[in-house]
Amino acid sequence: MLHARIASALASSVLLAAAGGAQSLRGSIAGVVIDTAGSRVPGVDVNAVGAGLRTRSGGDGTFALAGVPFGPLTLEARRLGFRPETVAVTVSSASATTVTFRLRPIAERLETVEVKGSRPRYTGRLAGYHERLAASTGGYFITRARIDQQNPRQLTDLLRNVPGIEVTRSRVRMRSRTCAPLIWLDGFQMPAGEVDLNTFPPRSIEGIEVYTSATGAPSRYQGTRDQSRCGTILLWSRGADTELGEAPPPGGQTAAIRPPPATRAVFTADEVDVGAHLAGGTSFAVDYPAELFAARTSGLVVAEFVVDTAGRAEAGSFGVMSSSHPLFAAAVESAVRGAPFEPARVAGRAVRQLVRMQFRFEPPQGRR
């Protein structure tokens, strides 16, 4: 009898220990949030109901939760401008459980704004570079977009495929010439003789102009006493005037978002009698970023903001759903700030409303 009681107690202890161990097992969840059109949605609050775990989707719409207890769980996704959604999951292994949320937009969708490229007026220290890049005559141009895409270790790696250039280690020569090319940095001539271009980090360069002939470079950059006979390279550095936003992540399709304020006083499309819209007789004027116009870069921005009761974009409400380049997003934000709208109305009363607008940037067609 005693032995039976001992055996029963041991069995109970083992079962309790096993139950406690099971309760302590934890896994993780990795997911993505998209809308009904398949676009990824940043800034979505994701909550593991009852588990005390929260996170927010990043610029690419992905999210992750760690330390999730094993067993069934309900995940909830919320973001202003979308209907809340829940997903039931079961976490049962150490490997991440994958989840996809598909949110239905309920923000007022305004008409797409087509931004057609027209030659801007170039100003500032990079004006000449942008003008020559837009004209694309005489020289060979390496733009910031190409530098960021290739992500080279050294500056000479960018020059190896330039027609008419030979690169041997850090030495650069034009068309089999034996002398070093003339180097300029931000409009200032570097000392005569060999300049080690690899002393300049590629990520510090905004653009490069290469002129392989003695007379190909703009006259002001040909130097004196036939200094440009062995070719000319113009380097333009990045600075405060080129950094108008965070660099886009790999793929370049999304930008950081600043979600509009989450408040019940903001109405969505299904809650108003008349939606917010551009004031009658007005056009939406958006400046095409000079750098991107010069490089013939097209782009797309999807933005959200709150139109207040006075018909203006509410300060601090502008957010970017997606953007192909931060300069496009900055141009849109500037234009939205000054645009006149008709506010949304409920029973004749002006109300604040969340709206979404798409801006498509297209440079002039045809040969550069």
Side-chain angles (χ1 to χ4, degrees):
M1 181 69 73
L2 178 61
H3 289 291
R5 286 199 298 269
I6 293 174
S8 176
L10 287 172
S12 298
S13 298
V14 170
L15 289 174
L16 288 172
Q23 291 175 357
S24 65
L25 292 175
R26 293 180 179 271
S28 61
I29 295 175
V32 64
V33 186
I34 59 177
D35 62 18
T36 51
S39 300
R40 299 194 174 198
V41 184
V44 178
D45 291 318
V46 180
N47 171 38
V49 179
L53 298 173
R54 295 177 180 273
T55 188
R56 173 172 287 185
S57 62
D60 60 354
T62 61
F63 66 90
L65 283 170
V68 182
F70 275 18
L73 191 68
T74 298
L75 292 180
E76 181 183 57
R78 287 181 174 271
R79 187 188 185 280
L80 189 64
F82 294 86
R83 293 194 183 282
E85 294 290 343
T86 59
V87 172
V89 299
T90 299
V91 179
S92 59
S93 68
S95 58
T97 301
T98 58
V99 175
T100 298
F101 280 104
R102 186 181 295 272
L103 301 186
R104 178 185 171 189
I106 53 176
E108 184 77 31
R109 287 181 177 269
L110 304 188
E111 291 186 6
T112 297
V113 175
E114 300 286 346
V115 185
K116 297 297 183 181
S118 59
R119 185 174 297 276
R121 179 174 177 269
Y122 299 110
T123 60
R125 68 181 179 92
L126 296 174
Y129 165 69
H130 291 143
E131 289 171 355
R132 292 186 293 274
L133 176 60
S136 190
T137 56
Y140 185 95
F141 294 83
I142 300 175
T143 64
R144 174 175 180 154
R146 179 174 167 186
I147 295 171
D148 290 344
Q149 181 182 30
Q150 292 188 6
N151 193 25
R153 290 182 58 254
Q154 297 179 318
L155 200 63
T156 52
D157 292 337
L158 290 166
L159 301 173
R160 294 184 187 279
N161 295 322
V162 176
I165 280 191
E166 298 175 358
V167 178
T168 305
R169 296 183 180 176
S170 62
R171 196 183 75 167
V172 176
R173 294 292 182 267
M174 308 286 186
R175 294 179 177 171
S176 301
R177 293 181 180 269
T178 58
C179 52
L182 187 61
I183 308 295
W184 296 74
L185 176 64
D186 289 335
F188 294 94
Q189 184 178 337
M190 301 292 288
E194 199 73 53
V195 176
D196 185 358
L197 293 175
N198 289 332
T199 59
F200 302 100
R203 289 277 182 171
S204 71
I205 300 299
E206 180 73 13
I208 304 173
E209 301 177 57
V210 180
Y211 299 92
T212 56
S213 67
T215 58
S219 58
R220 65 169 296 187
Y221 297 116
Q222 292 183 13
T224 59
R225 297 190 302 276
D226 198 27
Q227 289 177 312
S228 60
R229 68 186 184 282
C230 293
T232 303
I233 297 178
L234 308 183
L235 305 177
W236 301 99
S237 67
R238 303 183 188 188
D241 54 346
T242 66
E243 307 307 304
L244 298 184
E246 294 181 2
Q253 296 304 309
T254 57
I257 184 170
R258 300 193 301 277
T263 169
R264 292 182 180 178
V266 177
F267 289 75
T268 54
D270 57 350
E271 297 174 327
V272 300
D273 299 326
V274 179
H277 55 277
L278 274 173
T282 62
S283 59
F284 213 111
V286 184
D287 292 331
Y288 209 113
E291 299 91 315
L292 304 181
F293 176 87
R296 298 296 193 274
T297 301
S298 59
L300 181 68
V301 176
V302 180
E304 282 187 350
F305 51 94
V306 173
V307 175
D308 65 18
T309 56
R312 294 289 177 178
E314 192 169 280
S317 72
F318 184 86
V320 178
M321 290 294 295
S322 65
S323 175
S324 56
H325 196 287
L327 290 177
F328 284 137
V332 167
E333 182 173 9
S334 178
V336 164
R337 193 181 300 122
F341 293 87
E342 292 290 344
R345 295 188 178 274
V346 175
R349 176 174 59 91
V351 297
R352 299 163 66 225
Q353 186 185 17
L354 178 69
V355 301
R356 180 180 299 178
M357 291 190 75
Q358 181 170 280
F359 299 80
R360 192 181 304 280
F361 291 80
E362 290 294 341
Q365 299 300 313
R367 189 175 180 179
R368 292 180 55 175

